[in-house]
Amino acid sequence: MKREFSTIPFNDVLVAHPYAKDFFLSMGMHNFDTSRTLQQFVDSLQDDQLEDLGLDRLQLLEQFEHFIGKMRELSIAPSKQVDSITIIGGHNKTGEKEQVRFTLKPGEVICVVGPTGAGKSRLLEDIECLAQRDTPTGRQIFVNNRIPDEDQRFSAEHKLVAQLSQNMNFVIDLTVGEFIAAHADSRMLPEPEEIANRVAKCANELAGEQFTMDTPVTQLSGGQSRALMIADTALLSPLPIVLIDEIENAGVDRKKALDLLVKEEKIVLMSTHDPLLALMGDKRVVIRNGGIADILMTSTAERANLKELEWIDSKMTELKNLIRAGGAIEFDMRSHFQFDSV
Amino acid sequence: MIRLVTVSGPPSSGKTSVILKTIDCLKAKGFSAGVVKFDCMSSHDERLYEKAGIPAKTGLSGNLCPDHFYISNVDECLTWGVSSGLDFLIIESAGLCNRCSPHIKDILSVCVIDSLSGVNTPQKIGPMLKLADIVVITKGDIISQAEREIFIFRVKQANPKAMIVRLNGITGQGSHELTIMFETATKQSALTGKRLRFSMPAALCSYCLGEMKIGESYQRGNVKKMSWGK
Ligand SMILES: Nc1nc2c(ncn2[C@@H]2O[C@H](COP(=O)(O)OP(=O)(O)OP(=O)(O)O)[C@@H](O)[C@H]2O)c(=O)[nH]1
Ligand SMILES: Nc1ncnc2c1ncn2[C@@H]1O[C@H](COP(=O)(O)OP(=O)(O)OP(=O)(O)O)[C@@H](O)[C@H]1O
Ligand SMILES: [Mg+2]
Ligand SMILES: [Mg+2]
Ligand SMILES: [Zn+2]
Ligand SMILES: [Zn+2]
């Protein structure tokens, strides 16, 4: 491999490639004299220092060249590369052909519905792994009307799908502010603090109860965690497709959450049976016996019903809040759910 | 001739789960596969493999570093695989020693790490991670999307050359992708003459050899002292 960067003084490398400084941090090395070249530095290392680094001299130099290459690739990666995802039908569990071909576009919300075991998760997985007739369903997925590159399919760094699900937790030992900044850093974005403020503000608008930038992420409540995950995925994740596995009852404003993902031009796929969420979507994909049995467009009549459903939902929320506050529900439910008062 | 893949990674990172799911996929494609597990004191893995109908052997290193033990026995492992008529031989090694790495030049090398282990872990694992061809990240199902992205980035920093794959050891999601990479492993008939990717540090201090008393005069062999400044 060509030694482009190891033979010029490190300070000069830094001018064109500021991320090069992280190489030493990522190797656990400190106190590096940046006026020297990496070659000089490597030559000066003792054998036991190399042993600690876990690389020999040649490997260390190679690693550096690869590091610069990879980080450069990341720093210039375009943020939005997906204009459409097309699902080409395979077959259902009994081998009958799936007669569908449909396309999803940025800003669309698609709900996946069907009985337990029908194959909803399988469809989401087919999209996640960009199936090429090589999964149990025989489906094929096109990206921008083409078969995706091998690299896009296999390597974690080139995947297209972000996932949000009920059983996810934060495990990282950082405060909200540090955490979002670390995520922004990993995308090599400038001004991570400013981004952190924006994401946290947005998350607070989705969450029932407010949190601050100094709260450790592991101490957030379920609803706050979910809100932060959604805001962060919408604003900071580069991945164009978002799969949601049930966000009901999560203590977040579901409508605002969906609106945010739509505004950020995500393709949203959601496995849900919540009528409110289902009607908020543009389409419903109906799964039966492992196959796509139908695709329903949310109709005008359904959209009109959405208003009533939202009202009922807000009435239920009032009751939930009452229970949460230690109250009793002894008043008349018929009048509580009185539609005339809308 | 047999395709050999070495799979290493910290304890409980999900190596066995990853191997089981991947062998499922290999079998579905008509391949046969066997596993040799290297560990220190004991291992349940052989039973897990046999329960899944996979021929398996265990090598216990006792007082030795399991990686040193493994490399002294790897050729015989291959012979066992070939004589059993397997298409794939997979070697699982426990990676208890962060300084050693079982990776061999020209042999497909996989390192399994678990995303629950913390975002600084990729920086702490030595040649086992830094010199692997494929890094498999497990347990991504229980952490947030952002943490997954940060973790992948840190792995990429520690090993910019590797292919990084996410795999769920419970559902097997991602094993399909890994299987296709396993199929690129080269066929081998013997390992004699092949080289390790990184020399294994001598781990022999007097305590490795059973010394129990504390104090300078009991310390022989490879002794390293902390630096305390002035
Ligand atoms: N949630 C979750 N759990 C996982 C995943 N992968 C593995 N596990 C669990 O992690 C535990 C350890 O997995 P193993 O496959 O035995 O790990 P190992 O690396 O082979 O362990 P040793 O051989 O003992 O070092 C098991 O309980 C697995 O079920 C995953 O992707 N997600
Ligand atoms: N077309 C198909 N051909 C063969 N197997 C299929 C097909 N579709 C789904 N399956 C298999 O059926 C099983 C159940 O599917 P899946 O887990 O996707 O159901 P689900 O709708 O998500 O259920 P739940 O509501 O319980 O989450 C899985 O093992 C899946 O791989
Ligand atoms: Mg499901
Ligand atoms: Mg194991
Ligand atoms: Zn060792
Ligand atoms: Zn020792």
Side-chain angles (χ1 to χ4, degrees):
Chain A
M1 139 168 248
K2 212 170 63 187
R3 293 279 130 63
E4 242 183 291
F5 301 108
S6 11
T7 51
I8 41 179
F10 196 69
N11 278 328
D12 297 343
V13 178
L14 278 178
V15 176
H17 306 282
Y19 34 79
K21 69 174 192 314
D22 292 335
F23 180 70
F24 295 97
L25 296 177
S26 80
M27 291 281 145
M29 286 185 269
H30 304 282
N31 310 326
F32 169 60
D33 174 4
T34 55
S35 65
R36 295 197 290 173
T37 69
L38 190 76
Q39 182 76 56
Q40 288 166 335
F41 169 71
V42 166
D43 290 341
S44 75
L45 286 173
Q46 305 294 313
D47 285 351
D48 64 329
Q49 287 174 302
L50 286 165
E51 229 169 63
D52 286 341
L53 290 173
L55 293 172
D56 65 29
R57 291 190 173 82
L58 196 64
Q59 286 165 341
L60 191 67
L61 292 171
E62 268 183 20
Q63 201 88 340
F64 184 64
E65 300 289 336
H66 281 291
F67 183 91
I68 304 266
K70 264 281 148 78
M71 294 300 130
R72 177 172 50 193
E73 185 188 307
L74 252 189
S75 66
I76 58 176
S79 50
K80 296 271 189 299
Q81 328 104 304
V82 172
D83 302 316
S84 73
I85 295 286
T86 306
I87 298 160
I88 297 152
H91 49 76
N92 67 12
K93 287 189 197 179
T94 36
E96 290 153 84
K97 211 169 171 321
E98 223 176 15
Q99 300 287 359
V100 286
R101 181 191 174 110
F102 69 104
T103 297
L104 316 176
K105 300 247 178 220
E108 273 185 346
V109 176
I110 300 96
C111 294
V112 182
V113 301
T116 293
K120 300 181 294 296
S121 303
R122 185 63 255 168
L123 174 64
L124 298 185
E125 262 179 56
D126 284 344
I127 296 172
E128 208 276 329
C129 74
L130 301 175
Q132 297 302 321
R133 306 203 175 282
D134 49 10
T135 64
T137 62
R139 291 187 187 116
Q140 189 173 23
I141 312 291
F142 281 4
V143 179
N144 300 337
N145 287 317
R146 287 190 306 117
I147 297 176
D149 301 338
E150 289 273 290
D151 200 37
Q152 210 168 24
R153 289 196 70 191
F154 296 145
S155 90
E157 35 183 322
H158 297 116
K159 289 263 181 191
L160 299 174
V161 172
Q163 271 170 304
L164 289 168
S165 86
Q166 204 81 275
N167 55 359
M168 285 175 186
N169 291 295
F170 287 119
V171 295
I172 205 168
D173 205 7
L174 295 175
T175 65
V176 170
E178 291 165 344
F179 169 66
I180 308 170
H183 191 196
D185 266 341
S186 79
R187 295 209 48 212
M188 317 191 88
L189 300 173
E191 303 184 34
E193 286 80 19
E194 189 264 330
I195 295 174
N197 283 323
R198 209 149 47 84
V199 173
K201 181 165 168 286
C202 182
N204 268 318
E205 283 164 13
L206 301 179
E209 342 127 58
Q210 305 287 294
F211 54 85
T212 66
M213 298 295 270
D214 311 319
T215 315
V217 289
T218 49
Q219 280 172 29
L220 297 173
S221 71
Q224 289 171 328
S225 299
R226 210 72 50 214
L228 180 56
M229 285 181 202
I230 293 167
D232 176 273
T233 300
L235 300 172
L236 208 43
S237 170
L239 307 177
I241 306 172
V242 180
L243 303 186
I244 304 178
D245 184 1
E246 309 272 316
I247 47 170
E248 39 256 62
N249 305 325
V252 292
D253 188 325
R254 290 166 292 172
K255 179 148 184 8
K256 273 194 197 155
L258 278 187
D259 287 345
L260 174 69
L261 292 165
V262 167
K263 199 177 112 231
E264 295 299 321
E265 296 278 289
K266 301 286 185 188
I267 298 174
V268 183
L269 282 131
M270 191 164 42
S271 158
T272 185
H273 300 143
D274 180 325
L276 191 60
L277 285 172
L279 297 193
M280 278 180 202
D282 303 296
K283 290 177 195 163
R284 294 203 290 286
V285 177
V286 183
I287 310 280
R288 222 171 280 144
N289 185 32
I292 298 173
D294 208 351
I295 299 172
L296 307 174
M297 305 299 255
T298 307
S299 65
T300 328
E302 284 185 320
R303 290 236 183 267
N305 277 337
L306 187 57
K307 223 175 120 221
E308 271 77 32
L309 287 177
E310 277 171 6
W311 183 83
I312 293 173
D313 188 57
S314 74
K315 284 295 181 185
M316 281 304 288
T317 306
E318 280 174 29
L319 296 181
K320 276 182 209 156
N321 289 340
L322 202 61
I323 296 282
R324 191 177 286 141
I329 303 186
E330 287 169 339
F331 48 89
D332 183 31
M333 281 301 107
R334 283 169 200 276
S335 59
H336 180 73
F337 284 103
Q338 202 52 258
F339 268 96
D340 321 327
S341 55
V342 178
Chain B
M1 296 284 260
I2 189 167
R3 290 191 170 107
L4 176 64
V5 181
T6 63
V7 177
S8 58
S12 299
S13 55
K15 299 178 292 295
T16 302
S17 311
V18 165
I19 294 170
L20 283 170
K21 294 292 179 194
T22 309
I23 291 182
D24 275 351
C25 291
L26 283 172
K27 278 185 179 167
K29 293 184 166 187
F31 293 111
S32 60
V35 184
V36 181
K37 166 70 191 276
F38 282 93
D39 213 322
C40 265
M41 296 305 175
S42 69
S43 174
H44 285 281
D45 289 349
E46 186 175 324
R47 244 166 294 161
L48 292 176
Y49 290 121
E50 284 183 340
K51 231 173 82 191
I54 299 165
K57 293 272 174 220
T58 308
L60 293 178
S61 64
N63 292 331
L64 291 172
C65 161
D67 290 318
H68 284 72
F69 178 71
Y70 142 86
I71 206 69
S72 325
N73 287 282
V74 69
D75 225 357
E76 288 83 348
C77 293
L78 200 83
T79 308
W80 170 73
V82 172
S83 67
S84 310
L86 301 169
D87 299 316
F88 280 84
L89 175 66
I90 298 171
I91 297 186
E92 172 180 350
S93 85
L96 295 166
C97 164
N98 271 345
R99 297 161 60 85
C100 289
S101 130
H103 304 323
I104 304 166
K105 278 186 190 147
D106 307 324
I107 300 296
L108 189 67
S109 302
V110 180
C111 176
V112 178
I113 55 173
D114 134 18
S115 38
L116 290 176
S117 62
V119 288
N120 295 321
T121 304
Q123 273 66 57
K124 285 186 256 175
I125 303 178
M128 183 167 79
L129 173 70
K130 286 179 180 151
L131 298 176
D133 300 312
I134 301 172
V135 179
V136 176
I137 303 177
T138 56
K139 305 188 194 177
D141 52 314
I142 25 199
I143 63 168
S144 66
Q145 177 65 33
E147 283 164 297
R148 280 198 293 269
E149 288 173 23
I150 297 171
F151 199 78
I152 290 169
F153 177 72
R154 298 285 175 92
V155 169
K156 194 179 336 184
Q157 284 189 320
N159 184 347
K161 226 156 90 179
M163 185 75 150
I164 305 172
V165 181
R166 269 188 58 205
L167 201 147
N168 182 326
I170 292 178
T171 64
Q173 188 172 358
S175 53
H176 173 75
E177 287 95 318
L178 189 60
T179 305
I180 291 177
M181 285 180 234
F182 272 29
E183 287 176 57
T184 66
T186 52
K187 288 186 182 161
Q188 306 292 333
S189 51
L191 293 173
T192 306
K194 290 228 179 282
R195 294 176 66 84
L196 282 166
R197 297 190 186 193
F198 191 68
S199 67
M200 291 192 176
L204 296 181
C205 70
S206 22
Y207 298 103
C208 300
L209 297 171
E211 178 58 68
M212 293 177 76
K213 295 198 196 90
I214 298 167
E216 194 104 33
S217 55
Y218 304 105
Q219 296 166 355
R220 274 166 286 121
N222 194 351
V223 180
K224 195 171 172 184
K225 292 288 188 183
M226 285 167 69
S227 142
W228 292 94
K230 285 234 176 98

